[in-house]
Amino acid sequence: HAPAAPLKGGPLILPPIGAGQGASGMALAEITLRRRDGDRHSYRLAKRDDSAGATASWYDRKEAKKKQVTVGKAEGAKKLSRTHATEAQARAAAKAASGRAARLAATFDYSLALGRADLMPEQKVTVRGFKSEIEATVWLIGEVAHNFSDRGFTTSLKLERA
């Protein structure tokens, strides 16, 4: 597998979060994890509205005025503190914040009994052997931690809603 954020001719290439693809643009392999693969898990569902949006501001130099752009649902939208130089930058920031809020509305932490060095952030995951609401969700690996200890090689995953 190619790294999720490689250096290419100097610059660091960062694909969009949630795309499930590497820097080359190719989709990362989707995996299935079963309950028997792990020894601990934790599922959390945040008490927030997944459809809430985000509002970002930008400064319109022609009108010498601060303006706002909202992505998603305006009611209850998260207001971003930074003022951006252009409307396009503000819209991109609001879109990223809105997507991040939707992904973090549900999280699933899973400790694998046997380490899996092939797992990396941005891979899509389906899980089997859990409650139906957990299985119905397509997950995205947000963080991977590989550990070597007296217990052997283990892997801990932080999954977000894809």
Side-chain angles (χ1 to χ4, degrees):
H1 294 289
L7 289 169
K8 295 284 187 183
L12 180 64
I13 307 295
L14 297 170
I17 294 173
Q21 56 186 229
S24 66
M26 301 214 26
L28 296 174
E30 293 186 27
I31 60 165
T32 299
L33 296 174
R34 291 174 172 53
R35 188 176 188 123
R36 68 177 180 257
D37 296 333
D39 47 9
R40 280 184 315 207
H41 69 275
S42 172
Y43 172 69
R44 286 182 296 280
L45 186 59
K47 294 180 181 178
R48 68 174 93 165
D49 185 4
D50 291 354
S51 61
T55 299
S57 56
W58 60 286
Y59 190 77
D60 185 342
R61 291 182 185 264
K62 289 180 182 175
E63 294 184 26
K65 189 177 189 180
K66 189 174 179 180
K67 295 185 175 183
Q68 294 183 332
V69 61
T70 299
V71 173
K73 190 170 143 186
E75 184 180 330
K78 177 182 178 179
K79 191 168 186 171
L80 305 179
S81 60
R82 182 175 173 211
T83 301
H84 298 273
T86 66
E87 181 179 9
Q89 290 174 350
R91 186 173 302 282
K95 183 178 179 183
S98 181
R100 185 170 40 253
R103 285 191 312 279
L104 295 178
T107 59
F108 188 64
D109 296 345
Y110 197 38
S111 296
L112 302 178
L114 297 174
R116 298 258 323 248
D118 62 319
L119 302 181
M120 67 181 75
E122 289 298 306
Q123 280 184 290
K124 290 189 178 176
V125 178
T126 54
V127 295
R128 297 289 175 251
F130 297 93
K131 289 192 233 177
S132 60
E133 66 191 71
I134 297 172
E135 288 188 6
T137 303
V138 176
W139 297 99
L140 188 72
I141 298 176
E143 293 180 30
V144 178
H146 300 293
N147 303 298
F148 291 98
S149 69
D150 56 349
R151 294 180 55 213
F153 176 50
T154 60
T155 299
S156 298
L157 303 172
K158 289 188 181 288
L159 306 176
E160 307 167 346
R161 184 180 287 163

